[in-house]
Amino acid sequence: AEDVRRAGAAAKAAQRDWSRVPGAEKGILLREIGKRIRARRDALAALITLETGKPLCESLDCVGSVAACFEYYGEVTTFNDGQPFGVVAAIVPFNFPLLLMARKVASAIAAGNAVVCKPPHQNPLANLHLAELYEQLPPGVVNVVTGGADTGMALVDDPDVDLIAFTGSTSTGREI
């Protein structure tokens, strides 16, 4: 819960300035993330395969889709400064942890939001590796907390979180 509180506070502190960054500048940063993902393709794919048991060829395709997601939003935001909500909590399940997180993060930061990511507790490593590729973003724009259901609920209940982006079970969705 303390990690969630710190991550939410960091995101809130960063979001105001991030929302004022022109779309063209955000676009450059998002496309750079896509480029960095492609450069780390093999390492990310190996982690996905290790964590999920998916065939390596599927994991390689997934990493390509993750990079394309950041590149796409990099293009979209070039011509649009976005309409941010504030701080977005991104919570994803175990079956497509990297791709589902990338879709949430790329779209959120393109619109000027800051994000607190909670990867699945069963397989967080690929998302932790992906988080290293956000280093050119201002501190606090993307944050990651790990843990189980209690971490997810702490994130949902965090007063600094303005929007929940969740993919998972219906029963968990109802709790949220």
Side-chain angles (χ1 to χ4, degrees):
E2 180 60 24
D3 289 344
V4 168
R5 188 197 62 72
R6 286 195 314 267
K12 185 173 184 133
Q15 192 275 324
R16 180 175 294 140
D17 289 340
W18 179 247
S19 69
R20 294 181 182 136
V21 171
E25 188 176 330
K26 283 187 268 191
I28 291 168
L29 293 171
L30 283 159
R31 288 190 301 276
E32 177 61 26
I33 292 169
K35 181 180 174 183
R36 295 174 67 145
I37 290 166
R38 290 189 190 284
R40 297 255 188 111
R41 174 181 176 249
D42 292 343
L44 282 164
L47 280 173
I48 293 169
T49 293
L50 177 68
E51 290 188 305
T52 65
K54 293 178 188 229
L56 184 58
C57 61
E58 186 176 326
S59 297
L60 289 166
D61 287 346
C62 177
V63 174
S65 295
V66 168
C69 183
F70 281 93
E71 293 161 352
Y72 169 80
Y73 281 103
E75 290 301 319
V76 168
T77 196
T78 297
F79 306 104
N80 184 347
D81 290 333
Q83 295 183 331
F85 288 99
V87 175
V88 175
I91 303 171
V92 300
F94 69 94
N95 53 349
F96 286 95
L98 200 66
L99 182 56
L100 291 172
M101 187 65 78
R103 288 179 177 169
K104 289 171 179 20
V105 171
S107 61
I109 63 176
N113 300 290
V115 184
V116 180
C117 305
K118 192 230 162 271
H121 69 277
Q122 302 96 325
N123 49 0
L125 297 179
N127 270 295
L128 291 171
H129 192 83
L130 180 62
E132 294 175 8
L133 305 182
Y134 302 142
E135 67 187 7
Q136 77 273 16
L137 296 172
V141 171
V142 179
N143 308 271
V144 180
V145 293
T146 59
D150 56 334
T151 303
M153 289 313 292
L155 187 54
V156 167
D157 293 337
D158 190 297
D160 288 329
V161 171
D162 300 300
L163 180 76
I164 309 294
F166 169 78
T167 303
S169 71
T170 301
S171 61
T172 302
R174 285 185 180 129
E175 283 185 56
I176 290 173

